[in-house]
Amino acid sequence: MNLRVLGCSGSIAASCRTTAFLIGEHVLIDAGTGVGELTLDELAGIHEIFVSHSHLDHVLGIPLLADSVMRSRLASKPLRPIVVHALPATLDALRTHLFNNVLWPDFTRLPSAEEPIIRLAPFEVGDIVEVDGRRIEVLPAVHTVPAVGFGVESPSGWWIYTGDTGPNPELWEALGTRRIAQLVIETAFSDEELAVAIATKHMAPAMLARELVHLPVNVPVAITHIKPGEQAAVIGQIAALGLAQQVHALSSGDRFCF
Ligand SMILES: [Zn+2]
Ligand SMILES: [Zn+2]
């Protein structure tokens, strides 16, 4: 399984793109501003998008992607829609606040209601969705809006992405004793902003240690969603924790093969 990190920043700045991961050539996990790293041909190859939650830094790429690829998609008959998989509450938020003909045209009814470019597909926590020959599991997350993480099965174990989350005991229970190829876990804030992290249901290094005691020591850990300008502080504070696992900061442009 090939994984490309298109964006893994907690917000934007030069060279900081927000969350988007490309699995193979056709599947996106979250669709933040990192989607803008893809060429038009690569964008046209996206068939499935799995969305962790409704926050803008994870969904901004969806309406723009639909616009960019509609012309090329119209050339093929019948029109193949881009399927957006998310919790029912997340899909409702996209319909109400994004594809509402105010912020953006309703691409769930364009170019026609019968054959739209975007199709919304609800899932629930615990579901395993099979797409593009892969099994993608919907994992629990704890955030300020309904949210999930994802597990993608690969030949060398599961690739696990926590999504945006505060402390999340249900995740560790759900992971059980399965083999994990990599854990991508968010640490949005440094410890100086611990109160903000708690209030917004994100993580800070001081909280990370309590989470990772549940993870086998041989699982590589990659940190995502660090706010721009906080990289050095967050990574320094994590290094000082002396965690049992190997931990590094994810970078936009990273590629992994699991
Ligand atoms: Zn969020
Ligand atoms: Zn976020």
Side-chain angles (χ1 to χ4, degrees), residues 47-201:
H47 299 318
E48 318 276 343
I49 305 175
F50 287 76
V51 179
S52 65
H53 65 299
S54 58
H55 280 161
L56 205 54
D57 56 320
H58 300 253
V59 303
L60 194 59
I62 303 173
L64 300 171
L65 166 65
D67 189 23
S68 291
V69 303
M70 194 155 90
R71 279 156 294 281
S72 61
R73 293 236 163 191
L74 279 171
S76 62
K77 289 282 176 191
L79 186 146
R80 181 173 180 170
I82 301 163
V83 183
V84 175
H85 305 262
L87 290 171
T90 305
L91 298 179
D92 280 348
L94 294 179
R95 257 190 297 260
T96 305
H97 302 297
L98 198 48
F99 294 114
N100 59 4
N101 292 318
V102 178
L103 272 201
W104 205 243
D106 184 2
F107 279 95
T108 69
R109 300 177 70 81
L110 284 172
S112 72
E114 296 74 34
E115 284 194 347
I117 189 86
I118 295 280
R119 185 165 75 76
L120 304 179
F123 59 49
E124 298 293 342
V125 172
D127 284 358
I128 293 181
V129 184
E130 296 212 23
V131 293
D132 197 28
R134 293 174 218 287
R135 281 152 50 89
I136 300 183
E137 183 174 343
V138 183
L139 296 167
V142 182
H143 200 38
T144 51
V145 294
V148 300
F150 296 106
V152 186
E153 197 174 24
S154 83
S156 48
W158 288 81
W159 177 75
I160 303 294
Y161 160 56
T162 63
D164 287 12
T165 189
N168 188 1
E170 282 183 31
L171 172 68
W172 308 113
E173 201 174 307
L175 293 180
T177 56
R178 75 179 76 187
R179 193 157 63 107
I180 299 172
Q182 182 187 53
L183 173 80
V184 174
I185 185 166
E186 76 121 290
T187 308
F189 295 101
S190 66
D191 283 336
E192 285 73 27
E193 294 175 288
L194 185 60
V196 179
I198 291 168
T200 57
K201 293 195 166 68

